[in-house]
Amino acid sequence: MTKNKLFINFFTTFALLKYKLINAAYLNMNLLRTKLSRYTEPQKAKALGIYPYFREIESDQDTEVIINGKKVLMFGSNAYLGLTNHPKVKEAAIEAIKKYGSGCAGSRFLNGTLDIHVKLEERLADLVGKEEAMSFSTGFQVNEGVLSCITGREDFIVWDETNHASIIEGIRLSFSNKLKYRHNDMESLEKQLQKCEPDKVKLIVTDGVFSMEGDVANLPEIVRLAKKYNANVMVDEAHGIGVFGKQGRGTCDHFGVSQDIDLIMGTFSKSLASIGGFIASDKDTINYLRHHARTYIFSASCTPASVAAANAALDIMLSEPDRIDNLWKLTHYALEGFKQIGCEIGHTSTPIIPLFIRDNNLTFTIVRELFDAGIFVNPVVSPAVASQDTLIRFSLMATHTINQLDYALDTIRKIFKQHELI
């Protein structure tokens, strides 16, 4: 065979192989798109005019917001103290940008640690009664980063079945043994602790306030069981800080068990009017996490504006206790109002009030009708909850007025009655 024929055969074989590889990649791409295109639930809800997500807010996050040029009452926010548009919080963020710029251009581990990060962490550790704290760029990253690395293969993580998704995701990434107990069921928790090997680490993880249904963890009993079985405890205070405890220090402070809780987690995106999160514990634990939590080491650090805003919000929370007092007055008023209407609100005792609908499409329909009547609330449907447990999440801010709440209660009463829910 001549050199020319060998070259032609080689070129032809190479071209054919290249074609097959490109064609295979194209087919694989189509397989992926074909698979993903089968998910059509959002399109169905949009076709019915009841799709409730990604509503564009054109104003600040206050008790009233503007959507599509229309004012609606906001009862879907986590800004429990109503500080997201506070002049001092906004000014602090602006001044931080002027001094430090818009971002840190790196992780905390390398070039992204600012003096204001450290100062805020010192204050947060003091707030929850721990030796040290470390801040992350989001609250989700705290739980994911901490729980994925803090225990080993032979250890145990024991967790409440309705914990926040960030906790569940962190546990999923852990190599430890995972044991789930029934929601806030202390008998179930003890049975799971009894399955753990006595000489291995056992970490109980729970929300302080459960974010969807607004009930509170039985921390005194959890602490008692932790001591009985030589276990450690981590509490997510995302919805507890700014709401419970002295000066808003959280559910651990409220129950007087802060010193018995090994790790306390919190976020900036609720009462602290910003974005970010933190974990607080003893010095040895924080030292370990600083050098092992991958969502901390490999993520850009919290922006200067976010840190400064959270710090300013913390100042206000500690110095203006009337805000928390008013939040609780509104909470008691709303809880009593919903009970009088006849709404099913579960076991909540907090500013998070679930209004059970127990039907996905009906939940979407009622959210839409409430929005048309000037009330913004959030739907919680499967798979976030079981399909028979779908609900509307109604949440309060300290800056709401009784008149606003009365309008919401009356409107909800009328719409629920139309759908024979009351």
Side-chain angles (χ1 to χ4, degrees), residues 61 76-81 239 269-271 352 393 395-397:
Q61 187 79 229
S77 174
N78 292 321
Y80 300 116
L81 298 182
H239 299 270
S269 56
K270 277 73 176 178
S271 292
I352 300 168
R393 185 179 184 277
S395 55
L396 293 160
M397 290 182 272

Side-chain angles (χ1 to χ4, degrees), residues 28-239:
N28 284 336
M29 180 187 71
N30 277 349
L31 286 173
L32 176 64
R33 291 184 63 182
T34 300
K35 178 182 178 179
L36 300 182
S37 68
R38 297 190 187 109
Y39 175 62
T40 59
E41 295 308 309
Q43 295 93 312
K44 292 175 183 176
K46 288 176 182 178
L48 294 171
I50 57 173
Y51 184 73
Y53 303 118
F54 304 105
R55 290 172 281 183
E56 296 179 21
I57 297 173
E58 302 156 3
S59 62
D60 55 8
Q61 187 79 229
D62 204 347
T63 58
E64 284 187 347
V65 297
I66 298 174
I67 299 177
N68 294 330
K70 172 187 174 182
K71 279 188 178 182
V72 295
L73 291 174
M74 172 54 73
F75 286 101
S77 174
N78 292 321
Y80 300 116
L81 298 182
L83 296 177
T84 55
N85 64 340
H86 194 287
K88 290 181 180 178
V89 174
K90 292 194 286 188
E91 185 60 31
I94 292 167
E95 291 303 313
I97 290 176
K98 287 179 180 178
K99 180 175 180 178
Y100 298 99
S102 59
C104 297
S107 72
R108 289 291 305 278
F109 201 63
L110 298 174
N111 63 297
T113 293
L114 304 176
D115 55 352
I116 56 173
H117 285 116
V118 176
K119 290 175 182 175
L120 178 59
E121 287 167 343
E122 290 172 352
R123 297 190 69 196
L124 292 169
D126 179 69
L127 178 76
V128 297
K130 295 300 172 188
E131 290 179 342
E132 291 190 6
M134 54 189 282
S135 58
F136 291 65
S137 297
T138 69
F140 197 107
Q141 287 181 338
V142 179
N143 285 331
E144 186 177 44
V146 170
L147 290 166
S148 61
C149 78
I150 198 168
T151 53
R153 290 180 183 271
E154 296 182 346
D155 300 326
F156 295 82
I157 299 179
V158 189
W159 55 286
D160 188 295
E161 66 182 352
T162 61
N163 277 341
H164 189 266
S166 58
I167 293 176
I168 295 170
E169 189 66 15
I171 293 171
R172 188 181 71 84
L173 293 173
S174 172
F175 291 112
S176 301
N177 300 289
K178 307 164 181 75
L179 297 172
K180 177 174 65 175
Y181 63 93
R182 291 193 298 272
H183 175 52
N184 231 356
D185 185 328
M186 297 300 99
E187 182 179 346
S188 176
L189 171 57
E190 183 161 22
K191 286 180 180 177
Q192 297 294 54
L193 288 169
Q194 289 169 348
K195 297 177 183 178
C196 302
E197 296 178 38
D199 61 339
K200 303 303 181 184
V201 172
K202 298 167 284 293
L203 179 64
I204 303 168
V205 187
T206 182
D207 286 358
V209 176
F210 293 92
S211 59
M212 291 297 105
E213 297 187 17
D215 51 335
V216 182
N218 188 351
L219 293 184
E221 184 63 10
I222 289 173
V223 166
R224 186 189 72 80
L225 290 172
K227 290 179 178 179
K228 180 177 179 180
Y229 291 94
N230 192 27
N232 300 94
V233 184
M234 175 176 166
V235 176
D236 180 329
E237 288 278 29
H239 299 270

